[in-house]
Amino acid sequence: MNTTTAASYATAAEPSAPLVLDGVTLTYPDGDGRLTALDRVSLGVPAGTVTAVVGPSGSGKSSLLAVAATLVPPDRGRVLVGGTETGALSRAERALLRRREIGIVFQQPNLLPSLTAAEQLEVMAHLDGRRARTVRGRVRELLAGVGLADLAHRRPHQLSGGQRQRVNIARALMNEPSVLLVDEPTSALDHERGAAVLDLLVRLVRERGTATVLVTHDRAHLAAADAVLEMADGRLATATRA
Ligand code: ADP
Ligand code: MG
């Protein structure tokens, strides 16, 4: 299997990539001291590519996504989304940037129990003030894209775990983000269903040119990735896929 050198994904090589982390350090309070969750992490994710991140529990993978999502400001270093230095933005500007440019898929779908699959997606677009007709067309297209065209009227309890995670992915893509951040999306699914959800995710982001970071515990997912990085104690390094 190929390995990808970290250098080819470093900031210098891709200054205009949709997502760039440059020397990011993040610490949390820990008793009398600080725990270093991210230690000088640099990463650039080109449009339409998938960067997989693997590593043991507690190594900083979710922290990496939280910083990339601009949900948590780092202690040091820069996070650039579409070339915009997010550290310079106000809270409100960051919230707007998230809504427009960043899709997030967490481990658990967190769908609203009372809404149908179509409505889960519509809510995202209404938050962004789009026109109703455009929104309906896009909802149909995305649900078809994740193989749920016929289940648009179902509520979460009427869907399987895999189907709920497909709705979750479609919802994250609703506002056409340039960056997609995905945290162990198949951990609640069996291997076969997980692989199907992953294939679909990779196809969608390539078609749409979405720069994607995929945190995964399943090494079977790594074959589809353009780069594979490994977190260990907050440090990000190039990994082998074997
Ligand atoms: P992973 O996703 O790889 O399991 P995390 O990013 O969740 O790792 O956690 C990295 C380290 O930071 C762990 O030691 C974890 O306990 C710690 N951590 C994560 N979130 C917080 C938080 N909100 N406050 C304090 N420590 C945290
Ligand atoms: Mg995690």
Side-chain angles (χ1 to χ4, degrees):
M1 280 284 182
N2 282 340
T3 59
T4 307
T5 61
S8 69
Y9 275 74
T11 53
E14 279 287 346
S16 61
L19 176 66
V20 173
L21 272 61
D22 178 23
V24 166
T25 293
L26 174 71
T27 67
Y28 296 113
D30 181 34
D32 293 337
R34 313 279 302 176
L35 181 152
T36 301
L38 297 175
D39 187 3
R40 291 162 288 166
V41 166
S42 292
L43 165 75
V45 186
T49 68
V50 177
T51 295
V53 178
V54 294
S57 175
S59 60
K61 305 181 300 296
S62 294
S63 298
L64 174 74
L65 295 187
V67 167
T70 78
L71 289 166
V72 177
D75 300 46
R76 280 191 300 284
R78 304 184 304 152
V79 178
L80 292 97
V81 176
T84 297
E85 162 113 43
T86 61
L89 302 178
S90 68
R91 270 179 96 88
E93 287 168 335
R94 274 205 305 277
L96 188 64
L97 178 86
R98 268 200 299 281
R99 202 152 72 222
R100 299 234 163 113
E101 300 298 337
I102 304 175
I104 305 176
V105 175
F106 290 119
Q107 207 163 334
Q108 296 299 330
N110 287 324
L111 300 175
L112 297 162
S114 62
L115 299 187
T116 67
E119 288 164 349
Q120 311 279 349
L121 273 62
E122 284 169 16
V123 164
M124 295 300 290
H126 289 155
L127 286 174
D128 202 31
R130 303 210 185 183
R131 297 235 314 280
R133 195 194 300 174
T134 321
V135 169
R136 279 198 301 272
R138 203 162 153 65
V139 167
R140 260 200 305 277
E141 179 206 323
L142 271 170
L143 286 178
V146 296
L148 295 178
D150 298 334
L151 304 181
H153 59 284
R154 294 230 186 144
R155 295 177 209 284
H157 73 273
Q158 300 165 317
L159 296 168
S160 71
Q163 289 166 343
R164 283 200 286 271
Q165 197 55 297
R166 286 165 191 246
V167 174
N168 193 20
I169 290 165
R171 180 176 62 174
L173 292 170
M174 187 61 200
N175 289 339
E176 303 178 283
S178 50
V179 173
L180 184 69
L181 305 169
V182 189
D183 202 350
E184 308 206 25
T186 64
S187 56
L189 308 177
D190 65 46
H191 185 75
E192 206 171 308
R193 271 174 242 277
V197 167
L198 219 282
D199 283 351
L200 185 141
L201 176 87
V202 170
R203 182 171 53 73
L204 283 173
V205 301
R206 289 206 201 288
E207 276 170 18
R208 278 150 219 274
T210 318
T212 300
V213 181
L214 168 70
V215 168
T216 182
H217 64 282
D218 191 340
R219 299 196 81 88
H221 296 162
L222 304 184
D226 298 277
V228 181
L229 302 175
E230 186 147 17
M231 289 285 303
D233 293 330
R235 303 293 302 269
L236 197 56
T238 304
T240 54
R241 295 168 196 239

